[in-house]
Amino acid sequence: PLSSHLRTASSMWPCSFLDDHTRFAIIYGMKDKAELLDKLRAYRTLMEKQHAAQLKCLMSDNGGEYTSKALEA
């Protein structure tokens, strides 16, 4: 089943993450694309606590969302 933080009327940008190993998927609704780093951190924390797994690799559609210097930290 798909676990999701459902989009609200005020959320315009969907952000989804999928773990290839467990097939766990989650969708976050964002009001602004600048919230992406916060959503990625929330997903990482959730995976580490709920599935006892660490994020090792991040794959994207090369849209440029994950090119921030803040992600390198």
Side-chain angles (χ1 to χ4, degrees):
L2 181 67
S3 173
S4 65
H5 292 262
L6 298 175
R7 289 180 15 175
T8 63
S10 62
S11 297
M12 295 186 59
W13 302 102
C15 174
S16 61
F17 298 101
L18 171 67
D19 179 53
D20 282 340
H21 180 70
T22 63
R23 305 307 295 170
F24 177 79
I26 192 164
I27 301 170
Y28 293 103
M30 300 184 300
K31 294 179 183 177
D32 189 319
K33 285 185 178 182
E35 296 178 39
L36 181 67
L37 183 57
D38 293 333
K39 300 302 182 189
L40 177 59
R41 287 181 177 151
Y43 174 74
R44 181 179 181 179
T45 301
L46 178 69
M47 289 302 292
E48 288 175 353
K49 289 182 179 180
Q50 187 172 4
H51 296 282
Q54 291 188 359
L55 184 64
K56 294 180 182 177
C57 178
L58 182 64
M59 297 185 332
S60 74
D61 62 359
N62 293 324
E65 298 93 345
Y66 300 99
T67 58
S68 169
K69 294 286 183 189
L71 286 172
E72 294 177 10

